[in-house]
Amino acid sequence: PISKREQQEALQLKLDEIEKVRKRREESEKEKEELERLKTEEARIREQQQFGDWQRKEEDFHLNQAKTRSKIRIVEGRQRPVDIVAKNLFIFGEEDSPNNRTDGTVRYTSGRKLDLSSLEVEIREPFKLCDDLSISQLEELLNDVITYQQMEGAKNNEKA
């Protein structure tokens, strides 16, 4: 026969074992919650990186489109004031891109090419372009310049 004291010790051992199991279960749940939190954080960071890449690509696309439109207006003789300012940049410092050929042409989506090699350097100082412009043309020029600066600034910040 088991004494009362032995029964109490056995009961206490069982209670201790139950308490240990309960603590292990709580620790396991906390670890699972922490792991889930880390997975969620990683997914959020990955999503931000993908959005950043997408945003940079979109900004590059818009900048290249603006430059291409400007080149087309220049070659077709319908340049706006900002195009005249940009012309020297196109002549002296244009980077290669899919639409900008090293042979001095711009390719339309239809496949037709515009030749930029015959452009002449704009000798007038850029600020003198403003002399003959109306207020609305000056406002348009200002908006165009700001747009170019923002697009170029975003592109240059990516490189840094």
Side-chain angles (χ1 to χ4, degrees):
I2 302 176
S3 71
K4 193 172 190 180
R5 181 177 163 96
E6 290 174 343
Q7 285 179 348
Q8 283 180 340
E9 287 177 2
L11 180 61
Q12 187 60 42
L13 285 174
K14 288 181 182 178
L15 289 174
D16 289 344
E17 185 65 30
I18 289 172
E19 188 61 29
K20 287 180 186 177
V21 169
R22 186 177 299 139
K23 285 182 181 180
R24 277 185 281 183
R25 186 180 308 133
E26 287 174 2
E27 288 174 7
S28 175
E29 287 176 8
K30 286 180 182 178
E31 288 174 3
K32 286 180 182 177
E33 288 173 2
E34 181 66 15
L35 184 62
E36 187 63 34
R37 186 190 68 76
L38 289 174
K39 285 182 180 179
T40 303
E41 181 70 15
E42 282 181 17
R44 187 183 63 76
I45 290 171
R46 214 174 305 115
E47 188 175 298
Q48 282 179 336
Q49 288 173 339
Q50 288 175 342
F51 177 74
D53 291 344
W54 173 81
Q55 192 173 19
R56 274 190 296 281
K57 288 178 184 176
E58 183 177 10
E59 289 168 357
D60 284 346
F61 171 78
H62 287 294
L63 177 60
N64 288 333
Q65 287 299 104
K67 288 179 177 180
T68 299
R69 284 191 302 273
S70 184
K71 289 175 184 178
I72 290 170
R73 287 191 301 264
I74 291 169
V75 170
E76 292 180 349
R78 328 177 267 115
Q79 64 252 17
R80 297 174 16 197
V82 74
D83 300 332
I84 295 169
V85 173
K87 183 170 34 172
N88 288 346
L89 296 175
F90 294 145
I91 293 171
F92 292 115
E94 188 61 27
E95 298 174 2
D96 292 335
S97 74
N99 287 333
N100 300 333
R101 307 283 184 237
T102 55
D103 62 356
T105 61
V106 174
R107 186 180 299 275
Y108 280 112
T109 53
S110 66
R112 192 173 120 216
K113 290 183 180 182
L114 290 175
D115 186 12
L116 295 175
S117 62
S118 64
L119 292 181
E120 293 183 11
V121 175
E122 186 65 38
I123 298 176
R124 288 189 288 181
E125 294 179 1
F127 68 88
K128 290 190 177 181
L129 294 172
C130 301
D131 291 344
D132 300 328
L133 298 179
S134 68
I135 296 294
S136 63
Q137 289 173 322
L138 286 170
E139 289 171 348
E140 181 181 338
L141 175 61
L142 176 64
N143 289 333
D144 289 341
V145 168
I146 289 170
T147 301
Y148 269 96
Q149 283 179 326
Q150 289 171 342
M151 289 189 292
E152 283 289 351
K155 186 174 182 177
N156 291 335
N157 287 340
E158 291 170 18
K159 292 179 181 179

